[in-house]
Amino acid sequence: QSTFHGLEFGLNKNYTLRVVSPWIVNGELIGYLEMGQEIDKFIDSASLELKIQIYVNVDKNIYENSPKFIEETLSDKYETDKGYIAYQTSKVPININKLLHYSLNTPEWIKLDNKNFIAYTDVLTDISQKPIGNTLFLIDIDKEYLKLIEEIKKDVIFMGLETFFLLLIGYLFS
């Protein structure tokens, strides 16, 4: 009698987030409320809103003994060492394998394809909470990184000039 959520393979041959919650009235279970949403709809929206790249990696063993139509959909998916990128919001980075199989439970600063990112992974579970892969979140911080470098350069120049003038004044009055 608790709420469950997870991914399932939907009718349109793509992943669907399913949430099932008990419907209790006056302390009595009278049914269940179920909602499903294809992941592409909310992942695209989250990616745009938060300005992040999202990659959903599903373990290969999930696809063992799958119906033929599911196997056919895998042919256009990016294959990783242990799974498939079931959904992505941008081009898959070359070095994605090393990120997908580490547990980045806390955000980490990484360099990937000559760009700076904050990376984070989260375990992907099915409706029974069994791990079936992971989700990788990449936040491009190049613009902020370049702004920070420019600010540091300005501060160093200002402090250098300030030091020069203080030394000059000290020299002239000594």
Side-chain angles (χ1 to χ4, degrees), residues 45-75:
S45 141
S47 176
L48 286 171
E49 186 72 28
L50 301 172
K51 295 181 175 84
I52 60 176
Q53 298 172 26
I54 303 172
Y55 305 90
V56 178
N57 183 58
V58 179
D59 293 339
K60 287 180 182 177
N61 61 5
I62 299 300
Y63 298 104
E64 291 175 0
N65 304 316
S66 295
K68 187 169 177 65
F69 78 91
I70 292 177
E71 288 179 12
E72 289 170 359
T73 64
L74 296 177
S75 64

Side-chain angles (χ1 to χ4, degrees), residues 31-56:
Y32 293 91
L33 299 172
E34 181 176 336
M35 294 186 303
Q37 179 69 53
E38 294 170 353
I39 64 170
D40 58 337
K41 291 185 176 42
F42 67 87
I43 287 180
D44 284 346
S45 141
S47 176
L48 286 171
E49 186 72 28
L50 301 172
K51 295 181 175 84
I52 60 176
Q53 298 172 26
I54 303 172
Y55 305 90
V56 178

Side-chain angles (χ1 to χ4, degrees), residues 81 94-104 110-113 121 136:
D81 290 342
I94 295 168
N95 301 325
I96 198 167
N97 278 313
K98 70 179 184 180
L99 294 173
L100 288 170
H101 303 297
Y102 292 116
S103 181
L104 303 172
I110 62 161
K111 194 159 189 88
L112 189 62
D113 296 343
T121 59
L136 170 66

Side-chain angles (χ1 to χ4, degrees), residues 5-8 62 124-132:
H5 67 279
L7 286 179
E8 66 183 26
I62 299 300
L124 188 63
T125 61
D126 66 8
I127 198 87
S128 67
Q129 302 305 307
K130 175 185 161 196
I132 61 168

Side-chain angles (χ1 to χ4, degrees), residues 74-173:
L74 296 177
S75 64
D76 65 342
K77 303 294 182 196
Y78 184 93
E79 188 172 352
T80 66
D81 290 342
K82 297 179 183 177
Y84 295 95
I85 301 293
Y87 195 78
Q88 69 210 45
T89 57
S90 63
K91 181 179 174 251
V92 177
I94 295 168
N95 301 325
I96 198 167
N97 278 313
K98 70 179 184 180
L99 294 173
L100 288 170
H101 303 297
Y102 292 116
S103 181
L104 303 172
N105 295 331
T106 57
E108 291 187 24
W109 184 334
I110 62 161
K111 194 159 189 88
L112 189 62
D113 296 343
N114 294 320
K115 293 181 92 178
N116 294 290
F117 292 94
I118 297 292
Y120 176 79
T121 59
D122 196 16
V123 175
L124 188 63
T125 61
D126 66 8
I127 198 87
S128 67
Q129 302 305 307
K130 175 185 161 196
I132 61 168
N134 58 1
T135 305
L136 170 66
F137 304 92
L138 292 177
I139 304 165
D140 185 345
I141 58 169
D142 265 353
K143 289 179 186 169
E144 287 75 16
Y145 180 73
L146 292 174
K147 284 181 194 173
L148 177 64
I149 296 299
E150 287 303 314
E151 287 299 318
I152 290 171
K153 285 179 184 176
K154 287 178 189 175
D155 289 347
V156 167
I157 291 170
F158 177 75
M159 289 188 312
L161 289 173
E162 188 176 42
T163 302
F164 173 76
F165 285 118
L166 288 173
L167 289 172
L168 182 63
I169 291 170
Y171 177 76
L172 292 175
F173 288 111

